[in-house]
Amino acid sequence: MKSKRDYKTLDKVVYYSVIEKIKNGELKPNEHLTEERLSKELGVSRSPIRKAITALVAEGVLDYRTYSGVVVKDTLVDSTRYVQLLEVIELFVKAALEKLEQSEEEINIEEFEKCIQSMDRASYLRDLDEYIFNEHQFFLRLINYSGNPYYKEMTKKVFFNINYFSADPINQYSEEMRERNIKQLTHVVELLKDRRYSEASDEIKALLLNYGANAFR
């Protein structure tokens, strides 16, 4: 995932500008949004605005409504909604691990180890965006073993909302917390190697509970 500041095209400028306007309260849920308005506010022609709106509708940030046109959806993530989103992730992970337990499918352990290595390196460099990206990739790869493509797509949207619409403290992991998370995920990988899927599920549930508790601190 690119940094929110790392964009080069006009449609990306519009895309992230709309996200920032929603996050800082300039755009509110159910507010009507037009190409003309954005063109005046951002000094951008309508073509890139149209592209940005299409992308934001696909992400679930904006919505097309009959007779209303484009409106802003309620996407802001406070601590309570964050915990609810984590519960969705937990359910998808549990479903994937239950399916693995019932099948003979082999897991690609290396892909999970690479995610953890990248998290460890990003944590050392204090690159929180990269750390979170690889953490999310770990969960996405695991959920992919559910065999249900809708789980993966819904998880991507959950992570998108957490990345861009969470209150800042929610995503601010301390160094101590990052190290603890890496240790727990490393333990999860060891459990996966031994096909101890029920224990891996419990470990991930405990990890996500810690994430939720951190959001209320």
Side-chain angles (χ1 to χ4, degrees):
M1 179 186 70
K2 288 186 177 182
S3 166
K4 302 167 195 150
R5 300 174 294 279
D6 186 19
Y7 47 77
K8 299 178 180 178
T9 59
L10 284 177
D11 56 296
K12 287 298 183 184
V13 172
V14 177
Y15 179 93
Y16 289 116
S17 294
V18 171
I19 287 174
E20 288 302 320
K21 285 176 179 291
I22 293 172
K23 190 170 182 179
N24 66 27
E26 287 183 57
L27 291 173
K28 302 186 184 303
N30 297 312
E31 187 170 345
H32 186 51
L33 191 61
T34 65
E35 293 177 13
E36 181 181 8
R37 172 182 171 180
L38 287 175
S39 180
K40 288 180 179 179
E41 290 180 356
L42 302 176
V44 177
S45 67
R46 292 196 182 190
S47 179
I49 288 173
R50 201 167 295 120
K51 288 182 182 178
I53 287 176
T54 299
L56 289 164
V57 168
E59 296 285 5
V61 177
L62 303 177
D63 191 21
Y64 282 118
R65 294 183 185 170
T66 306
Y67 308 118
S68 299
V70 178
V71 296
V72 178
K73 295 183 71 174
D74 183 8
T75 53
L76 293 178
V77 179
D78 59 12
S79 297
T80 299
R81 182 171 287 185
Y82 178 65
V83 170
Q84 292 169 342
L85 292 174
L86 292 178
E87 289 173 352
V88 172
I89 301 302
E90 181 196 335
L91 288 172
F92 291 166
V93 168
K94 185 177 180 181
L97 291 172
E98 285 177 349
K99 182 168 184 179
L100 283 168
E101 193 164 29
Q102 296 166 6
S103 72
E104 297 297 323
E105 184 175 0
E106 292 294 326
I107 290 184
N108 184 349
I109 294 296
E110 185 178 346
E111 65 180 1
F112 295 106
E113 292 176 333
K114 285 182 178 178
C115 286
I116 293 174
Q117 290 166 5
S118 296
M119 288 172 64
D120 195 24
R121 182 171 57 253
S123 181
Y124 174 77
L125 296 173
R126 298 183 181 179
D127 186 344
L128 196 55
D129 284 344
E130 184 69 13
Y131 173 91
I132 291 173
F133 171 78
N134 283 285
E135 179 186 58
H136 289 176
Q137 287 300 305
F138 185 100
F139 286 104
L140 281 166
R141 282 170 166 73
L142 190 53
I143 289 169
N144 196 44
Y145 284 97
S146 71
N148 189 325
Y150 294 105
Y151 286 179
K152 188 172 182 180
E153 289 306 310
M154 290 175 69
T155 300
K156 286 181 179 178
K157 288 187 177 181
V158 166
F159 286 150
F160 178 87
N161 284 343
I162 289 174
N163 283 335
Y164 291 107
F165 295 106
S166 294
D168 289 336
I170 290 177
N171 273 334
Q172 296 304 309
Y173 298 161
S174 67
E175 183 177 356
E176 180 183 359
M177 183 176 179
R178 294 196 303 271
E179 290 179 358
R180 184 172 65 247
N181 295 348
I182 288 169
K183 286 181 180 178
Q184 280 189 270
L185 289 176
T186 300
H187 182 48
V188 168
V189 171
E190 293 302 316
L191 294 171
L192 293 176
K193 284 181 181 177
D194 295 337
R195 299 184 65 87
R196 294 157 65 186
Y197 298 125
S198 179
E199 291 176 61
S201 182
D202 290 341
E203 189 73 15
I204 288 175
K205 180 177 182 178
L207 177 66
L208 295 177
L209 284 172
N210 286 337
Y211 287 4
N214 181 68
F216 285 94
R217 290 174 186 167

